[in-house]
Amino acid sequence: MGRLDGKAALITGAARGQGAAAARRFVAEGARVMIADVNDDEGKALAGELGAIYQRLDVSEEAGWAAAVDRAVDEFGTVNVLVNNAGILHFSELAKTRLEDYERVVKVNQIGTFLGMRSVVEPMERAGGGSIVNVSSVEGLAGMPFLVAYTASKFAIRGMTKVAALELGAKGIRVNSVHPGMIDTKMVQDAAGGAEIDLSWVGRKVALGRVGQPEEIADLVVFLASDESSYCTGAEFVADGGATATHALRI
Ligand code: NAD
């Protein structure tokens, strides 16, 4: 028996990285999955491989959300789980950050999460409840230099999660945030300068001595999506190899 048997899930940003790892785990645990992304090629290929469905969705666009949720309800009958995973990163010094770059990050990470949560309230209420998993970051718990927009958006996700949990608990809808540390995905590889860049020196700075793998976040997301987390809501789930355990200036 799968841990997500009978559940229908919509996962944003699932064409690659942590979202793709979650989609794989969800299908393996018995869920029906909609992969929603702007990366059509990788999204369609993964959906084909997993027997999931692919939906083009730019999470920052309001109209696209209605279409995605309507299709999920049409094809699956309902939506039990939403994983707001899509996100983008922009490195720049505060004093040199352009407004358009700040707004672009906030639109995808923060507004995308808001629109996603809002879109599933009705179908989840009709289904008698559900689970929303919002992917924040350790940058939703503490600051990181050169990531002003990203950090703002990830703190916002952490806050919105609590408001949604308080409002939606009576409807049986649980809402939690996930806070990964550095995970080996294309987002981090691109930020570091390419897939060939050795990230092991960053990993050595955390208690577990290594960067994380997307599957290690997917396991946490499965737990939050499943009934195993039935008493968890409004909470922060950290998977960071111990990165936020310290206040030391140097490790
Ligand atoms: P990734 O760049 O590998 O994957 C992100 C996915 O989101 C891609 O498939 C991309 O096409 C999609 N996407 C981007 N903009 C979108 C939009 N407007 N609408 C729909 N889809 C869009 O990144 P990842 O590392 O897998 O990140 C997944 C999530 O985890 C993000 O929210 C990220 O901020 C967060 N996170 C990542 C790390 C890390 O170290 N990798 C750490 C903490 C949090």
Side-chain angles (χ1 to χ4, degrees), residues 11-50:
I11 309 177
T12 68
R16 70 175 197 214
Q18 293 175 49
R24 286 181 190 283
R25 283 279 202 274
F26 272 48
V27 169
E29 293 294 347
R32 287 163 300 160
V33 171
M34 171 181 277
I35 292 171
D37 207 296
V38 289
N39 180 345
D40 296 337
D41 291 346
E42 286 184 76
K44 282 179 188 165
L46 183 64
E49 179 195 327
L50 297 180

Side-chain angles (χ1 to χ4, degrees), residues 84 109-111 113-114 117 132-142 150-168 174-179 233-237:
N84 279 313
N109 297 3
Q110 177 177 335
I111 294 181
T113 299
F114 155 67
M117 290 198 291
I132 300 175
V133 183
N134 292 330
V135 181
S136 175
S137 169
V138 287
E139 275 80 53
L141 300 169
Y150 185 81
T151 301
S153 71
K154 295 300 187 180
F155 265 77
I157 290 171
R158 176 175 162 217
M160 284 192 286
T161 297
K162 297 184 193 309
V163 174
L166 291 167
E167 289 188 22
L168 303 177
R174 300 182 294 104
V175 193
N176 292 287
S177 57
V178 167
H179 301 264
T233 200
E236 297 151 15
F237 290 80

Side-chain angles (χ1 to χ4, degrees), residues 13 15-18 37-39 57-59 85-88 108 135-137 150 154 180-183 185-188:
R16 70 175 197 214
Q18 293 175 49
D37 207 296
V38 289
N39 180 345
L57 170 66
D58 178 339
V59 295
N85 165 80
I88 56 173
V108 175
V135 181
S136 175
S137 169
Y150 185 81
K154 295 300 187 180
M182 187 168 280
I183 309 300
T185 68
K186 193 154 188 305
M187 174 182 278
V188 168

Side-chain angles (χ1 to χ4, degrees), residues 107-243:
K107 259 187 105 178
V108 175
N109 297 3
Q110 177 177 335
I111 294 181
T113 299
F114 155 67
L115 291 173
M117 290 198 291
R118 198 184 65 179
S119 313
V120 295
V121 171
E122 210 180 283
M124 283 188 179
E125 189 176 5
R126 264 188 274 123
S131 172
I132 300 175
V133 183
N134 292 330
V135 181
S136 175
S137 169
V138 287
E139 275 80 53
L141 300 169
M144 189 185 226
F146 310 113
L147 281 182
V148 64
Y150 185 81
T151 301
S153 71
K154 295 300 187 180
F155 265 77
I157 290 171
R158 176 175 162 217
M160 284 192 286
T161 297
K162 297 184 193 309
V163 174
L166 291 167
E167 289 188 22
L168 303 177
K171 301 182 195 298
I173 303 171
R174 300 182 294 104
V175 193
N176 292 287
S177 57
V178 167
H179 301 264
M182 187 168 280
I183 309 300
D184 187 9
T185 68
K186 193 154 188 305
M187 174 182 278
V188 168
Q189 291 157 8
D190 287 351
E196 66 285 356
I197 303 287
D198 179 16
L199 293 173
S200 57
W201 66 274
V202 193
R204 280 198 290 277
K205 289 179 178 288
V206 305
L208 293 183
R210 61 178 178 84
V211 298
Q213 294 304 315
E215 295 73 22
E216 297 181 285
I217 305 304
D219 284 338
L220 182 52
V221 177
V222 166
F223 167 72
L224 291 171
S226 78
D227 298 338
E228 294 163 13
S229 56
S230 54
Y231 202 52
C232 303
T233 200
E236 297 151 15
F237 290 80
V238 181
D240 68 351

